[in-house]
Amino acid sequence: MSEADSSSNQTTVQIRMPDTVLDDVDATWEELGYTNRSEFIRAVLRDAVKHPEFDRADLKAMLASEVDIQKGRTHSSDEVKAEYGLDGEGESMAEG
């Protein structure tokens, strides 16, 4: 835990959320290696504040990519270049 996270520097904040959301939080924090629910929620909020450009669509794309990788659905750079007609310099082979 960083110095900024020490209990002497923290303020208690109460929030309300649907039980279904809390169930999802509880099913997630331990699986991801957090010590407790509060630590997980602080990390999620910190990430949302520090990286507001990172949105749900980005997360979904990353998760879909991770599933593809885990299932072996990957392509070499040469396969991608061939599929999209790229010569490796970002230009189309047809434009060459």
Side-chain angles (χ1 to χ4, degrees):
M1 193 184 296
S2 72
E3 186 178 315
D5 289 339
S6 69
S7 61
S8 63
N9 294 337
Q10 293 184 10
T11 300
T12 299
V13 176
Q14 294 183 15
I15 60 171
R16 294 181 186 270
M17 66 181 70
D19 288 340
T20 54
V21 173
L22 187 58
D23 290 344
D24 289 343
V25 167
D26 287 340
T28 304
W29 67 262
E30 192 170 16
E31 179 181 316
L32 295 177
Y34 289 90
T35 306
N36 55 53
R37 181 194 290 163
S38 293
E39 179 186 0
F40 172 72
I41 292 171
R42 278 192 300 274
V44 169
L45 291 173
R46 187 172 33 251
D47 287 348
V49 170
K50 288 187 175 186
H51 306 287
E53 70 284 355
F54 186 77
D55 63 16
R56 186 177 297 258
D58 294 332
L59 178 59
K60 286 180 178 180
M62 282 180 25
L63 292 173
S65 295
E66 183 63 27
V67 168
D68 285 343
I69 290 168
Q70 290 176 359
K71 295 191 179 226
R73 296 187 299 235
T74 59
H75 305 282
S76 72
S77 60
D78 289 337
E79 290 171 327
V80 172
K81 289 174 193 175
E83 182 176 341
Y84 291 99
L86 302 174
D87 64 4
E89 299 296 322
E91 297 178 6
S92 170
M93 289 181 196
E95 294 174 8

